[in-house]
Amino acid sequence: MIGRILRIELRRSAALGVALLLLATGVPLLITSTQFFAGRWMLLAVIARSILVVLLPLALAGGAWLGRRDARHRVGELFTSTARPRWHRTTVTAGALAITVVAAYTLVCLVAAGWVVPTAHYFPGATIVVAAVGVPALLAAGWLGMAAGRAVPRVITAPVVAVAGFALLGLVPELAAQRDPDLAAFRPEPSALLLIPVINELDDFQTIMPRVSALQTLWLVALAATGLLLLGTVRRRATALALLPAVLGAAVAVPLLPIGGTRGAAVVDPAAIELVCDNAGPQVCVTRVHAELLPDVVGPARQALAMMAAKLPNAPVRAVQTQQVSYWARLDPRAAPAPHSADTVVFDTPSFDRLGRADLSGDYFLPSLLEAAWQQECADQSVQGDEYRARIVAAAWLTGRPPAPTGWDPAEVERLVSAYQALVSLPEAEQRRRMAAAREAALACQGDGLVAVLPEGQP
């Protein structure tokens, strides 16, 4: 009997419409931003969690619309007069909504996986766990929306809960992340912020701690239980008891969750940063999570190494992709990374195209490789204007051509060309000595030594 009623609910209720709405929203959001996750499984899980900022309010609104069905058709008194308890009817309807929203979320992830499978070489096991946290989140949203629709059976209820949900999920994390620029100390976000299941951003080398995913799931399951209990209650005392699972879930989760929001919940995945190398020539390595980039970068990397060897004393002999997490993804951006050795040039991850390959259009990659000869992974990642100009001049010295950066102010380009001409006007031995000294200073995280290659410290 229950199975037959469930099939009827799936065919005729608004539950199917809610699922179609989630699909029609989630799929375009993902396939229009494939460059952010193509070829990387963990980034797919992260972006699936990030679009919950839109999907959860829609699930709330859909649940609210479904929850006011009895009042809309004026059958509330008729059903109340039967001997069957309210929770018998509401549980089946809630089950139909649960099936449809979970199926919609799963299909959204499967469609997006089509942009990951062809180029991905690394599948972290935590991917499924991170993405699966969205399931109890959607269940909680749908059932809380149904409870709101039953409690306030008005047409305006659905849009109101949608707006409220979007404000909670989108604005609260932004407000919590704001910092007073006058504060010298770094102030991470409170741990309670991780009760919101939306993940804003994650570096390619990171994963979410299993403990965080488990605690978020615990809290969301408790919140979903509260929504289901609220949907079946008829008395005030029962309503108060229905809030107990959510309160207990938050009381258990918040003290155990880390501070710092997504950055506090993220850790470096050791397997993701393992190096995959091409040794058919000067060694070129990329991280395991970016193994699909190796065929694209090996050519420009060896070209850059050859240009360095031709002119630079004690030139690097291998090129390796950075294994450092981007500064914006660190809980404390001031933490000092481990420096690399002088025989290695460390390059930043190139941009991705929509298919997960390296996007080397615009001829930016080779100059960035040459500039990397005068870079070190220092604690202070900020680069002053003169230091950045000096790197451009140094890279131009390797190419033997004046610098011509695109998009720069003509007066600024003229100053760079003037600095380059002043450098190459020196005797060749002096040029090599200065550039070698500048590189030693840069590798020692002494930016002033690099700036010294410019005439009188200024371009």
Side-chain angles (χ1 to χ4, degrees), residues 200-204 206 263 325-331 333:
N200 294 321
E201 52 191 11
L202 203 71
D203 189 82
D204 290 10
Q206 292 179 314
R263 284 172 296 189
V325 174
S326 301
Y327 73 93
W328 50 261
R330 303 173 192 164
L331 182 60

Side-chain angles (χ1 to χ4, degrees), residues 142-190:
W143 290 345
L144 287 173
M146 286 186 66
R150 186 181 75 85
V152 187
R154 301 287 186 269
V155 175
I156 198 174
T157 302
V160 167
V161 296
V163 172
F166 183 78
L168 175 64
L169 298 171
L171 298 181
V172 170
E174 290 295 327
L175 294 175
Q178 290 182 358
R179 294 179 177 82
D180 187 346
D182 296 330
L183 290 177
F186 181 78
R187 185 178 63 189
E189 296 90 338

Side-chain angles (χ1 to χ4, degrees), residues 34-52:
T34 58
Q35 66 273 19
F36 297 115
F37 66 87
R40 293 153 290 173
W41 284 108
M42 181 54 68
L43 268 294
L44 170 59
V46 169
I47 200 167
R49 290 276 297 274
S50 69
I51 65 172
L52 289 177

Side-chain angles (χ1 to χ4, degrees), residues 308 316 318-324 338-341 343-349 368-369 371-373 375-377 439 443:
M308 295 174 195
R318 62 195 293 260
V320 175
Q321 181 194 0
T322 180
Q323 297 172 284
Q324 301 295 335
H340 62 262
S341 60
D343 68 343
T344 302
V345 60
V346 176
F347 58 90
D348 292 331
T349 305
S368 70
L369 285 168
E371 293 173 18
Q375 292 179 222
Q376 176 63 278
E377 295 176 308
R439 184 165 186 267
L443 293 178

Side-chain angles (χ1 to χ4, degrees), residues 93-349:
T93 306
L97 181 63
I99 291 172
T100 56
V101 297
V102 171
Y105 180 70
T106 304
L107 284 175
V108 168
C109 294
L110 290 177
V111 170
W115 277 265
V116 180
V117 173
T119 53
H121 290 74
Y122 172 56
F123 181 81
T127 298
I128 297 176
V129 177
V130 173
V133 175
V135 171
L138 285 167
L139 292 180
W143 290 345
L144 287 173
M146 286 186 66
R150 186 181 75 85
V152 187
R154 301 287 186 269
V155 175
I156 198 174
T157 302
V160 167
V161 296
V163 172
F166 183 78
L168 175 64
L169 298 171
L171 298 181
V172 170
E174 290 295 327
L175 294 175
Q178 290 182 358
R179 294 179 177 82
D180 187 346
D182 296 330
L183 290 177
F186 181 78
R187 185 178 63 189
E189 296 90 338
S191 59
L193 191 64
L194 287 174
L195 294 180
I196 296 177
V198 177
I199 297 179
N200 294 321
E201 52 191 11
L202 203 71
D203 189 82
D204 290 10
F205 303 149
Q206 292 179 314
T207 185
I208 299 296
M209 288 187 287
R211 171 171 62 93
V212 173
S213 296
L215 290 171
Q216 287 180 323
T217 300
L218 172 67
W219 148 251
L220 292 169
V221 168
L223 189 62
T226 288
L228 192 60
L229 291 174
L230 287 174
L231 186 58
T233 58
V234 293
R235 298 180 180 180
R236 292 184 178 180
R237 177 177 295 181
T239 300
L241 291 176
L243 299 175
L244 189 58
V247 173
L248 291 177
V252 171
V254 170
L256 299 177
L257 287 170
I259 61 174
T262 301
R263 284 172 296 189
V267 292
V268 175
D269 183 357
I273 63 173
E274 292 176 356
L275 293 179
V276 177
C277 301
D278 185 323
N279 296 312
Q283 189 181 64
V284 179
C285 303
V286 297
T287 55
R288 185 180 178 190
V289 71
H290 292 154
E292 71 276 8
L293 301 180
L294 187 57
D296 299 323
V297 305
V298 66
R302 286 182 178 149
Q303 181 183 357
L305 289 173
M307 296 172 71
M308 295 174 195
K311 299 189 69 173
L312 188 62
N314 300 319
V317 296
R318 62 195 293 260
V320 175
Q321 181 194 0
T322 180
Q323 297 172 284
Q324 301 295 335
V325 174
S326 301
Y327 73 93
W328 50 261
R330 303 173 192 164
L331 182 60
D332 187 355
R334 301 168 300 179
H340 62 262
S341 60
D343 68 343
T344 302
V345 60
V346 176
F347 58 90
D348 292 331
T349 305

